Amino acid sequence: MPGPELQSGWLDDVAAVAISGSSPITLAVCQDLHGVQQAREWLQSAIPSLTKAHVEEVPASSLRVRLQAPPSPNGRTIWCVYDAAEGSSEELQARWQEFNLLRDQLTGTLRSHEPRSSLVFLTTVTRMPEISRHAPDLLAVAQVITVSEEPFVVDPRDTLMVDSFRQASSELEARYGLSTSELARRLLDREPTGVPEPDLSRWRSLAGALREVLE
């Protein structure tokens, strides 16, 4: 079945979403901190070669300040928060609770830039349960891409995480007057869904992440 905008992919998928602007905020979920470093280096070299954009690295502690700064005069910018998954559990909680509160300001700022900017958080699989608990509202509007051959799956025992993903699905169901199961049926039968991208992609990813809960 389909399932925050969640999908399994590669670093080029992360770059494609960031460049397209289909979602202003992307979480690239890497296997570990070594994978985060690889993603950081890859995005720095790949994005400028794919489009007229540049990558601006922003430490997590400076994101609020960066929001208040004027747009870059160098054209389209992809902000990359490379240390979003680092630190103790207490540090991670404080950081992502702040990001969660900044959700509307973040999306508004990114969309107000001309040309539009986008934001990529580099995270890890092991920190995603904590991030999901502390930033459910942010995840509800973000594209989450697991940089792995295996798609991300929510642990049914993690009730807080299940609730945050269900909240995002429920918002889409209410928006389009369609249940997730009916969306899955239409996709399976190749019928029109009436759901435009990127919401269709978000919805499919959410359902995919919840597949062990929905089974």
Side-chain angles (χ1 to χ4, degrees):
M1 286 181 76
E5 191 156 347
L6 224 150
Q7 66 185 63
S8 183
W10 304 97
L11 286 173
D12 54 355
D13 297 311
V14 176
V17 171
I19 290 168
S20 71
S22 59
S23 176
I25 300 173
T26 304
L27 271 73
V29 185
C30 305
Q31 289 301 300
D32 49 33
L33 290 178
H34 176 67
V36 165
Q37 182 59 31
Q38 289 182 316
R40 179 181 178 183
E41 295 171 357
W42 191 89
L43 292 174
Q44 277 283 10
S45 62
I47 285 179
S49 69
L50 294 171
T51 188
K52 292 181 179 179
H54 70 282
V55 177
E56 179 181 334
E57 295 193 334
V58 182
S61 59
S62 301
L63 186 56
R64 183 185 288 272
V65 174
R66 182 63 187 84
L67 277 173
Q68 300 168 349
S72 169
N74 299 323
R76 185 164 191 192
T77 304
I78 311 298
W79 298 355
C80 178
V81 182
Y82 55 87
D83 57 350
E86 296 181 14
S88 66
S89 294
E90 291 75 17
E91 291 169 329
L92 200 79
Q93 176 177 345
R95 176 185 306 140
W96 282 93
Q97 285 179 341
E98 179 182 20
F99 291 164
N100 197 54
L101 293 173
L102 290 173
R103 184 191 81 166
D104 292 342
Q105 188 180 355
L106 276 170
T107 55
T109 298
L110 293 166
R111 287 171 172 155
S112 69
H113 287 180
E114 188 55 49
R116 286 188 176 184
S117 299
S118 61
L119 171 62
V120 178
F121 290 106
L122 299 181
T123 68
T124 62
V125 170
T126 55
R127 305 314 289 267
M128 274 303 293
E130 294 173 270
I131 290 169
S132 298
R133 286 195 292 272
H134 302 317
D137 299 324
L138 180 65
L139 260 66
V141 299
Q143 170 93 22
V144 181
I145 300 176
T146 304
V147 186
S148 167
E149 294 182 7
E150 294 297 323
F152 179 79
V153 180
V154 173
D155 185 339
R157 297 167 296 180
D158 192 337
T159 56
L160 290 175
M161 194 171 187
V162 169
D163 288 345
S164 71
F165 278 68
R166 278 181 166 163
Q167 175 187 339
S169 293
S170 296
E171 289 179 5
L172 289 166
E173 289 179 332
R175 183 179 306 166
Y176 295 103
L178 192 68
S179 69
T180 298
S181 59
E182 174 60 16
L183 175 73
R185 187 197 65 76
R186 293 186 187 184
L187 290 169
L188 186 63
D189 294 341
R190 300 183 181 277
E191 295 179 10
T193 65
V195 181
E197 293 285 357
D199 281 350
L200 181 60
S201 176
R202 285 191 64 237
W203 206 340
R204 290 174 64 93
S205 299
L206 279 164
L210 287 169
R211 62 187 178 277
E212 292 190 1
V213 179
L214 299 174
E215 289 175 354

